[in-house]
Each structure stands twice: as structure tokens, then as C-alpha cells.
Amino acid sequence: MTFPSELAPELLAALAHVLPTYRPINLHEPELGDLEQTVLTACVDSGFVSSVGAFVDEFEASFAAYTGARHAIAVVNGTAALEVALTLAGVEPGDEVIVPALSFVGTANAVVHAGATPHFVDSAEATLGMDPAALDAYLAEIAVPSAHGATNRVTGARIAAIVPMHTYGHPVDLAPLLTVADAYAITVVEDAAESVGSTYRGRHTGTFGRLGIFSFNGNKILTTGGGGMIVTDDAALAARARHLTTTAKLPHAWDFEHDEVAWNYRMPNINAALGCAQMQRLPDFLVRKRALADAYRTAFADADRISFVSEPEHSESNYWLCTIRLHDATKSELSEVLAATNAAGFGCRPAWHLLSSLAMYKACPRAPLPVAESLVDQLINLPSSPALWSAAHE
Ligand SMILES: *Cc1c(COP(=O)(O)O)cnc(C)c1O
């Protein structure tokens, strides 16, 4: 016999208080309008809708300027961006790559597409992302440092990269994480898919590792329909990223010569056109998402067992997905709360299943995951579209 959770009515009341009155309210919706119509028409009129065109160049330049990265290379999606970034970072077949167990499946899929094995590690309570202290202690146990990445003394494989992921837009505590990575000479590649607009100590996420990647999928803060970006400060890596994502074709007026096995991953101009328009709206999205986050935080301030997940210290989050934690909740209580909120028309969602628990990743190496295991039963993403703030408060 289980008792109905007192959390469901409390959460429903807070959602009704913060959000506009229409139902259903989805988890996250893109905001598109006249600006997007105009650039898409211009793109169609130009005749260049495919993998070359002025909007690709413009989107890359504005994204590089916005993030402070020296180079930005637009590609078809975030998963492809991560696969390419890992390969450029030197990840080779047979290597292991450290990833958080608490992430979207694309993080681990990209590791496998790059020929390597994901090696799962735990999250920190404060950031929901990779825990530098736990990683340090774990590597001290299992890793032997070498000149180019550590060796896993259990599996014998090289640990070639560490991939911190900025969960729901909240930056990982990067300073201690980079110290750990340096100590083992392991390359850092940031999965910043969710953190366009998020900064750590004043610097944009995705620009701390050797390479970083972003996603512009339809549900992300900035969308190109589908799309991704690779950023790096290394000119040689940037040139290689460009070459390898455009079939390694040698520049020539009319000849088709290719000099390596490569990908066809470049972002089409029509998607980049959307990106150019969305870049102009991004500052406004960030302001309204922060206001929505503030309203949620206030609404849960007095709740006993519900806490709003605020941006970590030293960070400014984009609040891509506003998130609450149900303290001491079990999986069944979480399900009950999600059933009640979704029945009432609020598009609330649980965290992902831990990647380490998915059928295809069950046999992969992993650190102890006590924090990630408790977080997955306790996190709920709340409706987070920027439009919700203007709709509720204009
Ligand atoms: C969205 C996302 C990706 C992948 O992006 P796609 O553009 O959907 O391929 C990768 N990692 C994380 C953490 C994401 O949220």
C-alpha cells in the first residue's frame, strides 16, 4: 500500500501559479517568427539551400564571436559534432572516453561512432554534471598516467578523452576538472550541446576544452531545425574539422578529388539561415528564461521536499531546462508526480535513464555512481520555453 504523494498537489499549485493558463504546455518549444521567415525567404531566393552559402559563414562567424571561440564549424547535428570533435582530439578505436552517466544518449553514441568505449562517471549534486573530486579519486584508483592519456589498469585501454556535459545548461565545475585532466594528460572535449549562453567564470562553456560542441536541435535554446557546431581555438584542428566534414574534397574549380575517408556532415545553408535569425534573439531568450527560472525558484522557496536547481557558483546558466529535485523521492513517487502533472497539461519530464543502464551500454566500464543514481529518481524538468514568461507576464 503506497500513500498518494503530497508532492503532486504542491507541484501542480506552483506550476499553475507561475505559468500561463492555456494547456497543454510543452516542455520546450522553439520561438520562430518574422525574422526567421525573412531569412528563410532570402535563403530560398539566393538558390543556395545546401552545404555551401553565405548563411553558413555568417552563422559560424557570429557564433564564434558570441562564444569567444577562435573558430566555429557548423555541422548537421550535435551528435555528429561530438563524433568529429572526439576524432580530432585523437580518440582512436579501442580507446575509452570518460563521460557522465547522467546525460543524453548522444554523448555516449558519439563516443562509439568515434570507435571508442564510453566509461561512465558520477555527477556532482551542485552542478548535475561531472564531479571533479569523484573523478580524481576514481582515476587515482584505476588510471596510470602516460604522455598521451592515461591507461586504464583494469581494461588495459587508453583513456583518450574526458567529456564534461553542462546539464540542462548548468556549467560543470571546470577549473578542478581541467586540473584533473591535465594531471593525467587526458584531452578535454566539452559536450556543451545544452549550454548555448551559459558561462563559467565569465567565459562561455564549450571553450575550455581542446574542442567543444553545441546542438541546435528543435528543443534546444537556439534552433536551426537540426544542427550542431564544433568550436576550437586551434586553427589546424578547425581546418581539419572543415575538411573532414565536407567529404575531404580538395579545393578545385571543377575536379572532384578527395584525400581521406571523411563525413558529409556540413550544415546546409537553409539551416544556417535559421541560426542567423535565432542568434539575434538569443539575448532576449536568455533574459526571459532567467525570469522564468526566478519565478519558479520563488514558487518553490517554502517547499519542504522540492528544491529548484539554481545555477552553480561561479556560473551563469542559460536555464535551458528549469529543473526541480524531489528530495528523498523514489522512482514510484516520481512516476506518480509526473503522471499527475502531465494529466493536468504540464509537459514535465524526468531525467534520462542513466546511460550506464541502457541495453547497449550495460557492459561498459563505470565508476561508482551513487549521486547519478539518486538524481535520476528525483529530477523533473519543468516547462521552460522562453515564450512562457512573456505569455504569463505581459
Ligand atoms: C541534444 C544533445 C546532444 C546531441 O545533439 P543532436 O543535435 O540532437 O544530435 C548531445 N549531447 C547532449 C547532452 C544533448 O543534450
Side-chain angles (χ1 to χ4, degrees):
M1 170 77 196
T2 54
F3 296 96
S5 169
E6 80 279 3
L7 294 177
E10 198 173 2
L11 177 51
L12 286 169
L15 290 170
H17 177 71
V18 170
L19 294 172
T21 52
Y22 67 85
R23 306 282 182 272
I25 295 179
N26 294 322
L27 180 70
H28 201 280
E29 289 180 2
E31 209 171 293
L32 305 166
D34 290 347
L35 198 56
E36 285 76 8
Q37 294 273 12
T38 305
V39 291
L40 284 177
T41 303
C43 183
V44 170
D45 288 347
S46 78
F48 287 90
V49 295
S50 195
S51 51
V52 284
F55 287 112
V56 177
D57 299 336
E58 184 187 329
F59 184 39
E60 289 178 343
S62 67
F63 198 80
Y66 180 77
T67 56
R70 287 221 178 92
H71 308 279
I73 300 93
V75 297
V76 289
N77 60 56
T79 309
L82 188 53
E83 175 190 357
V84 173
L86 288 169
T87 303
L88 290 175
V91 170
E92 289 179 354
D95 287 342
E96 290 177 8
V97 173
I98 303 264
V99 300
L102 183 66
S103 187
F104 174 65
V105 71
T107 310
N109 286 346
V111 170
V112 173
H113 292 318
T117 300
H119 188 150
F120 300 108
V121 298
D122 207 9
S123 291
E125 308 250 350
T127 65
L128 309 180
M130 204 176 268
D131 182 339
L135 179 65
D136 194 23
Y138 180 62
L139 288 177
E141 234 174 77
I142 65 124
V144 187
S146 70
H148 299 286
T151 302
N152 180 336
R153 65 173 108 227
V154 182
T155 62
R158 183 175 74 123
I159 301 173
I162 296 176
V163 182
M165 192 282 281
H166 308 293
T167 313
Y168 309 138
H170 298 310
V172 164
D173 194 2
L174 285 163
L177 188 85
L178 293 170
T179 304
V180 175
D182 266 1
Y184 287 88
I186 306 177
T187 306
V188 172
V189 175
E190 285 176 81
D191 181 346
E194 305 183 352
S195 61
V196 174
S198 300
T199 57
Y200 176 80
R201 296 182 192 263
R203 188 163 139 196
H204 203 287
T205 52
T207 66
F208 290 82
R210 190 141 163 72
L211 301 112
I213 71 95
F214 296 87
S215 166
F216 312 119
N217 193 19
N219 64 350
K220 297 294 201 306
I221 187 167
L222 183 159
T223 188
T224 58
M229 194 75 83
I230 301 168
V231 297
T232 182
D233 282 347
D234 184 317
L237 284 182
R240 258 189 88 56
R242 246 172 250 288
H243 188 59
L244 286 178
T245 53
T246 44
T247 68
K249 184 184 176 301
L250 300 178
H252 192 282
W254 40 262
D255 196 28
F256 286 103
E257 192 183 354
H258 308 262
D259 63 354
E260 358 180 7
V261 178
W263 293 282
N264 178 19
Y265 276 175
R266 283 287 269 164
M267 178 182 281
N269 200 40
I270 193 146
N271 298 89
L274 269 182
C276 291
Q278 293 264 293
M279 279 305 284
Q280 293 187 42
R281 292 171 175 269
L282 180 60
D284 176 54
F285 290 166
L286 290 166
V287 166
R288 285 187 280 139
K289 278 171 145 323
R290 178 161 291 270
L292 181 64
D294 288 344
Y296 276 134
R297 187 183 303 102
T298 305
F300 295 111
D302 296 328
D304 281 340
R305 289 182 53 210
I306 305 178
S307 60
F308 182 77
V309 179
S310 286
E311 62 198 351
E313 257 189 284
H314 313 302
S315 299
E316 198 163 308
S317 176
N318 65 3
Y319 285 102
W320 169 53
L321 290 184
C322 287
T323 304
I324 52 169
R325 185 167 177 189
L326 310 182
H327 293 276
D328 307 315
T330 57
K331 194 163 274 324
S332 69
E333 194 175 19
L334 177 81
S335 298
E336 189 190 322
V337 170
L338 286 168
T341 49
N342 280 279
F346 297 111
C348 297
R349 297 284 177 271
W352 312 279
H353 288 220
L354 289 189
L355 298 179
S356 49
S357 74
L358 298 179
M360 59 285 193
Y361 296 127
K362 271 201 167 117
C364 292
R366 81 257 340 254
L369 304 167
V371 176
E373 277 162 5
S374 71
L375 287 174
V376 280
D377 291 343
Q378 299 181 356
L379 296 180
I380 294 184
N381 299 137
L382 306 177
S384 300
S385 308
L388 293 174
W389 183 253
S390 21
H393 300 273
E394 260 162 23

